[in-house]
């Protein structure tokens, strides 16, 4: 009897051991299941190759996650896939998509993942990170950023006019623009000093230069505050001085950007707003284009080194099958080493403050033309447009009304009052909908 019980006990132990072995996790067997991450981006050509190469290095650095990249996926393709239930795990897109897409339930709120991992957001350039927030919460991270905070000027035009240095204040900019403008015998403009809305109406850059804003902490729109109105009035001065019809006629005959007939290269336009990735081969000591800090209002020296930030965003779709692993990949992309590699290869600005002082960046000859931008990216006066679910409607309304004011059809105050009148109900509804969720 004892032998029989002993045989039964041994049999049960053996069966249990087999079952435990069959149910064991991969880790207990010394192996680990690999998670595959689909990483989409809108880039083509060299930009796509940079992402592919960085992800190749990530894949080689560990054996738990395999990232598969897919390039040339524009926002429409991205949103269609996410909405259709075939979402990738990580996406690079334009930053102003994050707000509206978050409202549609397409973007994962990252606050939980940030808190769980203890990820420190303080090293990120504040103005770049702020663009990734919707209702104060982080829904994405910038992978890089562009910035407009410089004045580009044609050196020869300045020399011909006897102007020794670029303007420091906006008042000087206006005076220099008059000195640098030439007309023929019939009064037609043949050379212009500055056009405030070239190459486009910039309804974000100019209010930043004047210390303006677009919404307060209570959700009330502030587009019609004095600083924003002053920004439009300043621009309108140029149209009053040189004539709306005359400027428009001059514009119609200008050469295209980045062609031999480009007006800033030929000197037919002496000054313009400068972004970090424009005319990189024409800047520097031997180039025709000089670079200077963009001027500030004379009575607001505290606004020196102001500028507009426009980041490239990355986010995790809300329907991602692997959000935890996608977050690991995102953190890798936010590491200093990767940020520097990405910035150098793409000729752009990293979003980590520490990277801006890293010799691997600052002494790299491949990006020497960006050094002035790297230095000014540390400025506390950088800003950008607030992200929201109604961001695109707000920007469109600002553009439409600003154009009317520049043409002299309505005053700057009327233009911005019109914007607030139109957009405040939309903002109120968005805030109410959020409160009711």
């Amino acid at each position: 009897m004892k032998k029989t019980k002993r045989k039964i006990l041994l049999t049960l132990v053996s069966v249990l051991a087999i079952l435990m072995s069959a149910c064991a996790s991969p880790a207990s067997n010394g192996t680990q299941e690999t998670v595959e991450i689909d990483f989409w981006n809108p880039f083509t050509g060299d930009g796509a190759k940079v992402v592919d190469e960085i992800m190749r290095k990530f894949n080689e650095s560990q054996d738990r996650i395999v990232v598969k990249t897919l390039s040339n996926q524009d926002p429409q393709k991205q949103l269609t896939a996410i909405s259709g239930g075939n979402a990738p795990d990580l996406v690079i897109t334009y930053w102003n998509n994050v707000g509206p897409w978050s409202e549609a339930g397409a973007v994962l709120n990252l606050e939980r993942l940030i808190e769980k991992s203890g990820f420190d957001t303080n090293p990120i350039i504040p103005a770049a990170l702020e663009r990734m927030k919707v209702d104060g919460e982080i829904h994405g991270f910038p992978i890089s950023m562009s910035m407009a905070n410089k004045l580009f000027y044609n050196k020869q035009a300045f020399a011909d006019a006897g102007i020794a240095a670029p303007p420091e204040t906006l008042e000087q900019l206006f005076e220099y623009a008059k000195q640098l403008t030439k007309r023929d015998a019939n009064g037609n403009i043949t050379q212009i000093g500055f056009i405030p809305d070239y190459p486009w109406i910039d309804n974000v850059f100019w209010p930043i230069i004047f210390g303006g804003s677009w919404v307060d902490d209570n959700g009330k729109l502030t587009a019609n505050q004095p600083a924003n109105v002053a920004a439009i009035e300043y621009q309108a001065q140029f149209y009053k001085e040189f004539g709306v019809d005359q400027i428009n006629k001059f514009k119609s005959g200008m050469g295209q950007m980045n062609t031999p007939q480009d007006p800033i290269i030929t000197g037919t336009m002496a000054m313009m707003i400068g972004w970090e990735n424009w005319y990189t081969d024409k800047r520097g000591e031997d180039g025709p284009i000089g670079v200077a800090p963009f001027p500030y209002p004379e009575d607001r020296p505290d606004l020196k080194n102001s500028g507009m930030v426009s980041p490239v965003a990355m986010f995790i779709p809300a329907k991602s099958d692997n959000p935890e692993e996608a977050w690991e990949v995102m953190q890798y992309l936010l590491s200093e080493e990767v940020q520097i590699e990405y910035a150098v290869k793409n000729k752009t600005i990293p979003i980590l403050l520490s990277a801006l002082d890293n010799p691997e960046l600052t002494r790299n000859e491949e990006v020497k033309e960006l050094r002035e931008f790297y230095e000014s990216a540390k400025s506390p006066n950088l800003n950008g447009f607030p992200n929201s679910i109604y961001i695109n409607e707000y920007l469109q309304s600002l553009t439409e009304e600003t154009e009317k004011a520049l043409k002299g059809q309505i005053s700057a105050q009327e233009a911005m009052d019109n914007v607030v009148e139109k957009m405040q109900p939309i903002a109120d509804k968005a805030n109410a909908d959020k409160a009711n969720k």
Side-chain angles (χ1 to χ4, degrees):
M1 185 70 177
K2 289 181 178 180
K3 289 183 179 180
T4 302
K5 288 182 177 180
R6 185 177 181 184
K7 285 182 179 179
I8 292 172
L9 181 60
L10 289 172
T11 300
L12 288 172
V13 170
S14 298
V15 170
L16 182 60
I18 291 170
L19 289 171
M20 289 178 68
S21 175
C23 296
S25 67
S28 66
N29 283 332
T31 61
Q32 186 168 358
E33 186 176 342
T34 300
V35 176
E36 187 175 291
I37 295 294
D38 291 321
F39 183 14
W40 287 16
N41 67 78
F43 309 131
T44 59
D46 291 341
K49 291 177 182 177
V50 171
V51 176
D52 291 345
E53 175 62 15
I54 289 175
M55 287 298 94
R56 181 189 66 78
K57 292 180 180 179
F58 173 80
N59 289 339
E60 291 177 351
S61 72
Q62 44 76 53
D63 58 5
R64 297 180 302 101
I65 303 170
V66 174
V67 178
K68 291 192 173 182
T69 58
L70 184 61
S71 304
N72 197 25
Q73 300 302 297
D74 61 36
Q76 185 59 52
K77 292 177 183 176
Q78 294 172 0
L79 189 57
T80 298
I82 294 170
S83 302
N86 189 29
D89 299 292
L90 186 59
V91 178
I92 294 177
T93 194
Y94 307 115
W95 74 272
N96 57 313
N97 289 331
V98 173
W101 290 6
S102 68
E103 173 64 13
V107 180
L108 184 69
N109 186 322
L110 298 178
E111 293 291 340
R112 181 188 67 83
L113 290 171
I114 294 169
E115 182 178 1
K116 180 180 178 181
S117 63
F119 182 77
D120 185 8
T121 62
N122 289 319
I124 298 175
I125 294 172
L129 183 60
E130 281 299 314
R131 311 284 75 73
M132 301 295 99
K133 294 180 180 180
V134 182
D135 296 324
E137 297 188 328
I138 297 173
H139 284 68
F141 278 92
I143 189 171
S144 66
M145 74 177 202
S146 284
M147 181 172 66
N149 77 331
K150 299 296 184 187
L151 180 75
F152 289 170
Y153 61 96
N154 184 280
K155 295 176 184 177
Q156 189 59 52
F158 267 58
D160 292 344
I163 300 175
E168 293 186 15
T169 67
L170 291 174
E171 289 76 8
Q172 289 177 336
L173 173 60
F174 184 61
E175 291 303 314
Y176 286 13
K178 290 190 285 186
Q179 295 178 46
L180 289 159
T181 299
K182 299 177 181 178
R183 299 177 185 267
D184 63 19
N186 296 317
N188 297 310
I189 297 172
T190 57
Q191 174 181 300
I192 197 162
F194 184 76
I195 302 176
D197 57 333
Y198 176 84
W200 52 66
I201 291 177
D202 207 319
N203 46 40
V204 179
F205 173 82
W206 281 108
I208 290 171
I209 295 299
F210 280 80
S213 66
W214 296 271
V215 62
D216 66 18
D217 293 337
N218 298 314
K220 294 301 180 184
L221 304 187
T222 58
N224 58 350
Q225 66 161 297
N228 294 55
V229 172
I232 298 175
E233 289 175 339
Y234 177 80
Q235 296 174 75
Q237 281 187 102
F238 292 86
Y239 278 90
K240 292 175 182 176
E241 177 68 27
F242 303 128
V244 173
D245 293 338
Q246 285 291 331
I247 290 179
N248 289 337
K249 183 177 180 180
F250 180 81
K251 280 182 177 180
S252 68
M254 288 195 314
Q256 296 296 311
M257 288 184 71
N258 295 312
T259 68
Q261 291 75 43
D262 187 317
I264 193 69
I265 296 174
T266 62
T268 52
M269 183 174 64
M271 298 178 286
M272 67 179 291
I273 299 167
W275 290 78
E276 89 287 345
N277 54 355
W278 289 359
Y279 309 107
T280 53
D281 60 336
K282 300 292 190 298
R283 295 172 359 212
E285 290 185 12
D286 299 326
I289 297 176
V291 181
F294 200 85
Y296 55 90
E298 189 174 41
D299 62 348
R300 292 292 308 275
D302 57 305
L303 292 175
K304 286 182 180 179
N305 297 314
S306 292
M308 171 187 170
V309 166
S310 180
V312 177
M314 52 182 173
F315 71 92
I316 299 172
K319 295 180 181 179
S320 165
D321 292 330
N322 307 290
E324 301 278 350
E325 289 78 11
W327 172 233
E328 286 191 49
V329 178
M330 188 180 283
Q331 290 178 83
Y332 177 81
L333 291 166
L334 292 169
S335 66
E336 185 167 339
E337 181 180 351
V338 174
Q339 275 291 300
I340 291 173
E341 178 182 359
Y342 190 90
V344 170
K345 289 183 176 179
N346 282 315
K347 305 292 190 295
T348 187
I349 302 172
I351 52 81
L352 293 178
L353 288 165
S354 58
L356 298 173
D357 287 322
N358 192 312
E360 293 294 321
L361 184 75
T362 59
R363 297 177 185 174
N364 194 311
E365 288 298 305
E366 293 183 54
V367 288
K368 62 182 180 180
E369 67 277 1
L370 294 177
R371 287 171 184 164
E372 293 162 300
F373 282 89
Y374 293 151
E375 185 61 32
S376 58
K378 306 171 193 175
S379 171
N381 286 333
L382 299 181
N383 205 343
F385 200 75
N387 221 329
S388 67
I389 66 174
Y390 54 87
I391 179 174
N392 295 322
E393 295 168 274
Y394 199 176
L395 287 169
Q396 181 62 31
S397 181
L398 286 166
T399 297
E400 291 171 355
E401 295 299 326
T402 297
E403 184 175 14
K404 295 175 186 175
L406 294 184
K407 290 180 177 179
Q409 297 170 354
I410 57 176
S411 71
Q413 187 67 61
E414 288 173 324
M416 293 301 96
D417 285 343
N418 289 345
V419 170
V420 172
E421 182 179 359
K422 176 183 178 180
M423 291 303 304
Q424 189 63 63
I426 296 173
D428 290 342
K429 183 178 184 305
N431 294 332
D433 290 345
K434 179 181 177 258
N436 293 330
K437 281 187 177 179

